């Protein structure tokens, strides 16, 4: 016999009214679209000589902004394999000066050759060759006035392919004897950190996040990710490598995070809002001279990357451009601005511009607490929010964690109506859950033989009790 269930209505707890509301200003739209450009011209100070050079990656140290370059051709004074300039006023982001140019106009390299390397290069078999150190990955400041850079060491022989020796690490610090922002570099004494058969970690991009330095490196045009505690940058055994799921100590397990990129930079920004705080700007291996812009919810990806802008040359409009980098300090990301630079081929220079991206209209949001409910009720609330999303009633919904449901809409009325609908759905889910519990209890009683007596049995039991009293 099927047990009888009372039609008595359940009285579920009322969904909490402690809903958090807010408004988030508009961010750059996705896919991104450039709607205007403010040309900044060459990165160059009019008070100094114009030298052909490339890379042009910028970093900050001790409150100052620096540009770092590769081969710098100092006219008749010679060539320096790597140099830097300091930006006196970030309000004029393309104006930068050499703090250490000598009276003849030569700019000494920041990362220099050692006496042992100098002696080796003077051997007859190295005649006409040049040892260079190029830092494509930028500078990471790990404490005030102290940073690290990962440089590529090359052996250059004109008329022959460049020979990559490996990646080394150098400590960069302010020269305490000078007040003009002059830097000094100390190369890691224990040799190279990574070799050509490995991803060249740190030489593609580097970024400090909390107490960890994140480093990107390449094999060909495949980009990989590693990390190391900021106090252990010079210790190879402290590095960990992203294998697609987690960070591990075995470098052979490393997996790609991007493919087909020649140069670029990863950084944190509010350009695309809080759900996509990680941004990438770079250039592909195909020599198409286009600015590529990407976003991701996590450093590890997944990355969504689009071309947004065709670069141009000034002295060398005929050749493709390379070393495309962002300069987050030089633009207002909240206003949809993005400052980028690129390199011309010799005898050109580094060109900068400020791109203005199309923005969306901003959203109202609400967070509905779900912490006091069961998984079944939370799922029901999320399902109803997704239903409203598919009907274009809401613009976005996300279970930010098991205890909060976030909804977004461009209209505040839609948010309020969405909350009312979801709360109603929560009440229904609670009633269904409570009724289901009573049904399960009745089924358990039936299984134990505690069957509810029929009406005739109950009447018989009443008369039997009366007879016993008489």
């Amino acid at each position: 016999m099927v047990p009888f269930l009372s039609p008595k209505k359940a009285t579920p707890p009322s969904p909490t009214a402690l809903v958090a509301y807010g408004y988030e200003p508009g961010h750059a739209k996705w896919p991104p679209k450039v709607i205007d450009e403010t040309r900044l011209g060459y990165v160059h100070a009019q008070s100094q000589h114009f030298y052909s050079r490339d890379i042009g990656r910028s970093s900050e140290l001790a409150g100052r902004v620096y540009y770092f370059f590769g081969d710098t051709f100092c006219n008749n004074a010679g060539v320096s394999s790597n140099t830097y300039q300091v930006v006196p006023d970030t309000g004029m982001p393309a104006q930068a000066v050499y703090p250490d140019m000598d009276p003849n106009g030569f700019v000494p390299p920041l990362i220099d050759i050692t006496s042992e390397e100098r002696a080796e290069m003077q051997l007859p078999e190295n005649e006409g060759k040049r040892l260079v150190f190029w830092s494509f990955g930028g500078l990471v400041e790990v404490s005030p006035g102290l940073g690290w850079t990962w440089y590529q060491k090359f052996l250059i022989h004109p008329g022959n392919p460049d020979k990559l020796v490996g990646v080394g690490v150098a400590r960069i610090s302010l020269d305490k004897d000078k007040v003009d922002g002059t830097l000094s570099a100390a190369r890691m004494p224990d040799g190279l950190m990574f070799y050509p058969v490995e991803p060249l970690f740190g030489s593609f991009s580097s970024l400090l996040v909390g107490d960890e330095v994140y480093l990107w490196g390449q094999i060909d045009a495949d980009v990989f990710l590693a990390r190391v505690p900021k106090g252990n940058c010079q210790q190879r055994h402290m590095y960990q490598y992203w294998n697609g799921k987690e960070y591990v100590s075995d470098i052979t397990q490393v997996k790609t995070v991007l493919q087909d990129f020649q140069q670029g930079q990863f950084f944190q920004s509010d350009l695309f809002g809080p759900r996509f705080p990680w941004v990438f700007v770079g250039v592909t291996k195909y020599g198409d001279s286009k600015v590529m812009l990407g976003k991701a919810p996590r450093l590890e990806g997944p990355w969504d990357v689009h071309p947004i802008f065709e670069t141009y040359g000034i002295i060398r409009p005929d050749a493709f451009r390379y070393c495309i980098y962002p300069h987050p300090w030089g633009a207002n990301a909240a206003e949809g601005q993005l400052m980028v630079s690129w390199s011309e081929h010799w005898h050109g220079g580094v060109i900068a511009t400020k791109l203005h991206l199309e923005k969306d209209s901003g959203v109202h949001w609400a967070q509905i607490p779900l912490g006091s409910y069961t998984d079944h009720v939370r799922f029901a609330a999320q399902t109803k929010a997704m239903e409203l999303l598919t009907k274009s009633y809401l613009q976005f919904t996300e279970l930010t964690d098991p205890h909060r449901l976030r909804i977004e809409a461009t209209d505040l009325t839609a948010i309020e109506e969405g909350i009312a609908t979801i709360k109603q759905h929560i009440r229904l889910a609670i009633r269904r859950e409570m009724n289901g519990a009573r049904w399960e209890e009745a089924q358990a009683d039936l299984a134990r033989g505690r069957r509810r007596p029929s009406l005739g049995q109950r009447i018989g039991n009443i008369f039997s009790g009366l007879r016993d009293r008489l």
Side-chain angles (χ1 to χ4, degrees):
M1 181 196 293
V2 177
F4 174 77
L5 292 180
S6 169
K8 181 181 177 181
K9 292 184 178 181
T11 306
S14 175
T16 177
L18 299 178
V19 176
Y21 293 86
Y23 177 77
E24 191 172 294
H27 302 285
K29 280 188 174 182
W30 193 263
K33 179 182 178 181
V34 176
I35 57 174
D36 199 4
E37 177 196 6
T38 302
R39 296 194 175 194
L40 303 174
Y42 283 114
V43 175
H44 169 60
Q46 299 299 324
S47 60
Q48 294 184 326
H49 300 291
F50 176 85
Y51 290 156
S52 177
R53 68 270 177 95
D54 61 4
I55 300 182
R57 173 75 179 262
S58 70
S59 299
E60 298 181 54
L61 186 72
R64 290 184 171 95
V65 175
Y66 294 87
Y67 285 100
F68 295 90
F69 305 97
D71 275 349
T72 302
F73 297 88
C74 305
N75 297 336
N76 296 328
V79 59
S80 186
S81 78
N82 62 92
T83 61
Y84 69 95
Q85 286 186 311
V86 62
V87 179
D89 181 1
T90 55
M92 296 185 289
Q95 297 295 303
V97 297
Y98 293 111
D100 54 352
M101 179 184 290
D102 71 18
N104 296 320
F106 181 72
V107 182
L110 173 62
I111 303 171
D112 205 356
I113 191 170
T114 65
S115 57
E116 293 82 2
E117 291 167 335
R118 195 179 307 277
E120 183 180 353
M121 295 307 296
Q122 290 174 351
L123 297 174
E125 60 266 28
N126 288 326
E127 184 178 357
K129 297 179 182 179
R130 194 162 60 93
L131 199 59
V132 301
F133 311 98
W134 295 331
S135 181
F136 294 93
L139 169 73
V140 173
E141 185 174 23
V142 296
S143 63
L146 176 64
W148 294 91
T149 189
W150 287 254
Y151 60 87
Q152 293 184 8
K153 180 179 179 180
F154 274 93
L155 184 62
I156 306 298
H157 190 191
N160 296 276
D162 298 343
K163 180 183 178 181
L164 173 64
V165 182
V167 169
V169 182
R171 186 181 66 231
I172 309 297
S173 58
L174 284 174
D175 190 330
K176 297 180 180 179
D177 296 330
K178 300 181 180 180
V179 295
D180 56 1
T182 300
L183 301 177
S184 63
R187 291 168 60 189
M188 184 185 67
D190 300 329
L192 297 173
M193 182 67 69
F194 299 102
Y195 294 87
V197 295
E198 302 172 312
L200 305 175
F201 287 112
S203 68
F204 184 87
S205 188
S206 57
L207 180 66
L208 178 67
V209 182
D211 291 328
E212 300 277 349
V213 177
Y214 289 81
L215 307 156
W216 290 262
Q218 297 162 287
I219 294 180
D220 297 326
D222 291 338
V223 182
F224 304 85
L225 175 61
R227 71 181 183 186
V228 64
K230 68 178 184 179
N232 305 100
C233 294
Q234 73 278 26
Q235 296 173 297
R236 167 76 183 247
H237 69 277
M238 295 297 293
Y239 284 65
Q240 292 183 311
Y241 311 95
W242 178 249
N243 69 359
K245 295 181 180 178
E246 59 183 345
Y247 290 93
V248 296
S249 298
D250 184 0
I251 193 173
T252 64
Q253 295 185 28
V254 70
K255 301 294 184 182
T256 58
V257 293
L258 276 182
Q259 292 180 308
D260 301 332
F261 279 89
Q262 193 65 36
Q263 292 104 17
Q265 178 179 340
F266 298 86
F267 61 104
Q268 190 170 10
S269 173
D270 60 357
L271 186 64
F272 297 109
R275 291 195 303 278
F276 298 96
W278 306 106
V279 179
F280 170 77
V281 171
V283 60
T284 69
K285 68 177 183 180
Y286 301 111
D288 58 8
S289 306
K290 294 179 180 179
V291 176
M292 306 293 292
L293 178 59
K295 67 171 184 177
R298 301 174 61 212
L299 264 180
E300 298 82 6
W303 286 92
D304 188 5
V305 185
H306 286 251
I308 64 166
F309 186 74
E310 180 83 33
T311 61
Y312 47 85
I314 298 176
I315 293 177
R316 291 295 308 274
D318 55 317
F320 73 88
R321 276 75 62 191
Y322 60 105
C323 284
I324 296 177
Y325 293 113
H327 306 280
W329 53 269
N332 188 343
E335 295 300 322
Q337 298 175 4
L338 177 67
M339 179 181 168
V340 297
S341 68
W342 56 88
S343 296
E344 295 179 296
H345 280 269
W346 186 86
H347 52 285
V350 175
I351 300 171
T353 195
K354 190 177 294 185
L355 304 178
H356 304 266
L357 305 177
E358 185 177 12
K359 293 180 61 180
D360 58 33
S361 57
V363 294
H364 295 273
W365 59 265
Q367 282 193 341
I368 305 172
L370 301 176
S372 61
Y373 304 128
T374 64
D375 291 342
H376 168 75
V377 175
R378 292 173 190 157
F379 179 76
Q382 188 180 17
T383 301
K384 176 54 68 173
M386 289 298 297
E387 180 184 326
L388 296 175
L389 181 65
T390 58
K391 294 179 179 179
S392 298
Y393 192 79
L394 300 176
Q395 273 65 52
F396 177 79
T397 181
E398 178 184 52
L399 195 63
T400 56
D401 59 46
H403 307 292
R404 282 180 291 272
L405 177 67
R406 180 184 174 99
I407 62 173
E408 295 180 4
T410 56
D411 183 76
L412 183 58
T413 301
I415 287 289
E416 293 171 343
E417 293 178 359
I419 290 172
T421 302
I422 292 170
K423 280 187 174 182
Q424 183 181 24
H425 205 65
I426 289 174
R427 291 189 183 94
L428 292 174
I430 293 172
R431 288 194 181 99
R432 285 195 299 268
E433 192 171 64
M434 293 179 69
N435 287 336
R438 285 198 303 277
W439 173 273
E440 291 172 1
E441 182 182 351
Q443 290 291 89
D445 288 346
L446 181 62
R448 291 192 296 266
R450 289 162 50 192
R451 186 175 299 176
R452 185 183 178 92
S454 66
L455 178 61
Q457 289 173 327
R458 294 201 301 272
I459 294 173
N461 289 340
I462 291 173
F463 281 108
S464 177
L466 290 173
R467 281 196 303 268
D468 292 339
R469 291 183 182 182
L470 296 173

